[in-house]
Amino acid sequence: MPLLHLALLLLVIVAFGGVVLLSFALRYRAGTARRQGRRWVATLNLWMTGFSALLFLLFASGASFWVEHSFRFALAGAAIGSLLGLCGLAFTRWEMERGGLFYTPSRSLALLLTMAIVARFIYGFWRHFHPAEASSSNPLLAATAAQLSLAVAAGLLSYYLVYAIGVRLRLKRHERTRLA
């Protein structure tokens, strides 16, 4: 009977790994899809992402009572994500057609954001098996999993917030030139 339990455990682990890999691949595919710019979608995206970012920063500041320097990591992640959002807007391919404005996000930045999530998972497993590195003088190695999770999440949120602002502004400019 123990051999059957081991085989079932191995099957569950392999299935879970497959689902995780599939979700990363689908996230990358969705992040690089060509989209039609619609004003109401861009506005809704901007407001919802802004609301999420505000709630996240409130959560990170509250978490700093329990996890040391968590708000500092969240702010650092937000700054890096904002810079990446500006790069994402610069690398986005914009196309004007009869149906409106279409845009395709950068594949390399979508891959970078997906790899940031993957790297965070890998770092969490590594930290689990190497807890002695926590006393390291390198701040990245000394960071807890919670601190890095907050930094990566803040980076993703700020990237999407800056990107949503840029898409909304670009659509507004496109509508003004089209009406003029």
Side-chain angles (χ1 to χ4, degrees), residues 32-68:
T32 59
R34 182 176 187 252
R35 298 175 180 96
Q36 181 177 5
R38 292 188 172 94
R39 187 176 182 165
W40 72 271
V41 173
T43 302
L44 182 66
N45 193 19
L46 173 63
W47 280 101
M48 297 306 285
T49 308
F51 182 68
S52 296
L54 178 66
L55 284 179
F56 180 80
L57 287 177
L58 288 174
F59 169 77
S61 67
S64 64
F65 291 112
W66 294 279
V67 180
E68 188 178 359

Side-chain angles (χ1 to χ4, degrees), residues 14-163:
V14 168
F16 179 73
V19 167
V20 168
L21 288 175
L22 179 64
S23 70
F24 287 138
L26 291 176
R27 176 68 235 149
Y28 172 74
R29 183 177 174 201
T32 59
R34 182 176 187 252
R35 298 175 180 96
Q36 181 177 5
R38 292 188 172 94
R39 187 176 182 165
W40 72 271
V41 173
T43 302
L44 182 66
N45 193 19
L46 173 63
W47 280 101
M48 297 306 285
T49 308
F51 182 68
S52 296
L54 178 66
L55 284 179
F56 180 80
L57 287 177
L58 288 174
F59 169 77
S61 67
S64 64
F65 291 112
W66 294 279
V67 180
E68 188 178 359
H69 304 298
S70 64
F71 191 65
R72 188 178 306 166
F73 273 83
L75 287 178
I80 292 169
S82 297
L83 291 174
L84 287 174
L86 292 173
C87 291
L89 287 168
F91 296 143
T92 296
R93 189 174 63 229
W94 302 91
E95 303 169 54
M96 288 183 256
E97 295 181 4
R98 288 183 191 251
L101 182 67
F102 290 82
Y103 63 98
T104 307
S106 168
R107 290 186 180 273
S108 57
L109 277 174
L111 183 63
L112 178 70
L113 294 174
T114 305
M115 289 299 113
I117 298 168
V118 171
R120 169 51 200 103
F121 280 117
I122 292 171
Y123 179 78
F125 283 119
W126 181 81
R127 272 302 295 262
H128 179 73
F129 294 110
H130 295 87
E133 297 292 330
S135 62
S136 173
S137 62
N138 185 343
L140 190 60
L141 291 178
T144 66
Q147 290 169 333
L148 282 182
S149 291
L150 286 170
V152 170
L156 291 172
L157 269 173
S158 62
Y159 170 83
Y160 287 115
L161 180 61
V162 168
Y163 197 83

